[in-house]
Amino acid sequence: MAPLEPSIAVQDSDPNAQLIDAFVVPTDTGSAVLIDADYERLDAVAGPFQIALYSRLPLSMGELAVIRARVEADLFAHAVRTAPEGRRWVLALLMGLLEVGVVGVLLAFLFLNREPIHAVVAWAAPLGFVPGVLHAWRAVARRRAGGSARATLEVGELLPTTAVGRDGDSLARLRDLWRFADQPNEPRDLMRLERAARIRVRWPAAARFYRALAAAPDASTPAGRLAWLRARVRRRGAAPQPLTYLEARSQ
């Protein structure tokens, strides 16, 4: 495998910048760019953002410009979607506590004035307050993500220059993945790459990337009668999925 070399448009990272990692990874038809970043962990107040590129061959100025434009668009699109979350978390928390108190008073009243019909009411009444409590919980849990998104919209900046990726673990993962893909007399199949990323390289973002390309179901999707509900709850609290941009070129 050829050494990782920066192109003319790539330089050392800004010491004050927060890096967004971009990896040129192998596919069954050539290569692709995988953006592996959790936008909710970025703090625009702490400094500007910068793309850190990991590639075994240099990319052209045009390719770097396309990657930067798409990252910037997705970064601010995510901020727009997330900004409303947790904005009034104090009010939502107070309302949630009020609803819990109302449920407690209602259950105490039913317990002190026990009647056969009250058993049904005691089971059914709390269900009416579940949506409000869940809304309060989500507002409190997502207050930091919403605050970070609003900061990104107000002062967020993506630097025009691209930095060369220097993280040792990231370089090792990328080299191992390319080494597996370049094995002689072995087909470069997407699901073989997914398995290598998941088991051999231990790179979950790359594994999700290959599953998405192969249109295969995510192995982390829960099964069962309430799978759809658990999946919705998990997606709400989970980090955003890695973003992928295909390139029709060979590395």
Side-chain angles (χ1 to χ4, degrees), residues 4-249:
L4 298 172
E5 300 177 356
S7 72
I8 192 173
V10 178
Q11 61 183 23
D12 289 336
S13 61
D14 188 299
N16 299 318
Q18 301 169 80
L19 300 180
I20 299 175
D21 294 336
F23 300 88
V24 179
V25 296
T27 66
D28 57 338
T29 58
S31 62
V33 178
L34 163 66
I35 307 300
D36 184 9
D38 184 357
Y39 289 156
E40 294 184 2
R41 294 183 179 272
L42 299 178
D43 184 4
V45 179
F49 311 131
Q50 188 175 28
I51 297 174
L53 179 66
Y54 294 84
S55 174
R56 67 173 183 173
L57 294 177
L59 301 184
S60 68
M61 295 280 289
E63 289 170 324
L64 292 174
V66 169
I67 293 172
R68 183 190 178 280
R70 291 178 174 176
V71 170
E72 186 174 34
D74 287 314
L75 171 66
F76 287 100
H78 174 267
V80 170
R81 292 192 302 269
T82 311
E85 297 184 359
R87 185 182 293 274
R88 299 179 179 178
W89 70 271
V90 175
L91 178 60
L93 177 61
L94 293 176
M95 294 299 297
L97 293 175
L98 178 61
E99 293 193 6
V100 171
V102 171
V103 173
V105 172
L106 177 60
L107 293 179
F109 173 80
L110 295 176
F111 179 78
L112 294 175
N113 300 272
R114 289 189 292 270
E115 295 288 344
I117 190 62
H118 289 175
V120 178
V121 179
W123 282 100
L127 297 178
F129 295 91
V130 169
V133 174
L134 291 179
H135 173 74
W137 174 83
R138 176 173 171 78
V140 174
R142 301 284 292 169
R143 66 187 187 281
R144 291 185 179 179
S148 297
R150 291 189 290 274
T152 298
L153 293 176
E154 293 172 2
V155 298
E157 176 190 6
L158 182 64
L159 296 180
T161 55
T162 302
V164 59
R166 300 292 189 186
D167 181 73
D169 291 339
S170 298
L171 288 170
R173 287 198 303 264
L174 185 62
R175 286 193 177 101
D176 287 345
L177 192 57
W178 272 104
R179 189 177 296 115
F180 176 83
D182 290 339
Q183 289 180 348
N185 303 322
E186 290 290 341
R188 190 184 286 187
D189 180 76
L190 288 176
M191 296 313 299
R192 290 184 68 252
L193 291 170
E194 187 274 343
R195 181 177 175 83
R198 176 166 46 89
I199 299 177
R200 176 174 174 174
V201 185
R202 299 186 183 277
W203 192 358
R208 289 193 297 267
F209 165 76
Y210 290 122
R211 281 197 296 270
L213 286 186
D218 194 323
S220 63
T221 301
R225 295 182 179 179
L226 298 180
W228 64 273
L229 179 59
R230 292 196 298 271
R232 286 178 60 85
V233 173
R234 181 175 300 180
R235 283 197 298 269
R236 286 180 177 179
Q241 295 296 315
L243 306 169
T244 56
Y245 307 119
L246 289 177
E247 288 188 331
R249 65 194 298 269

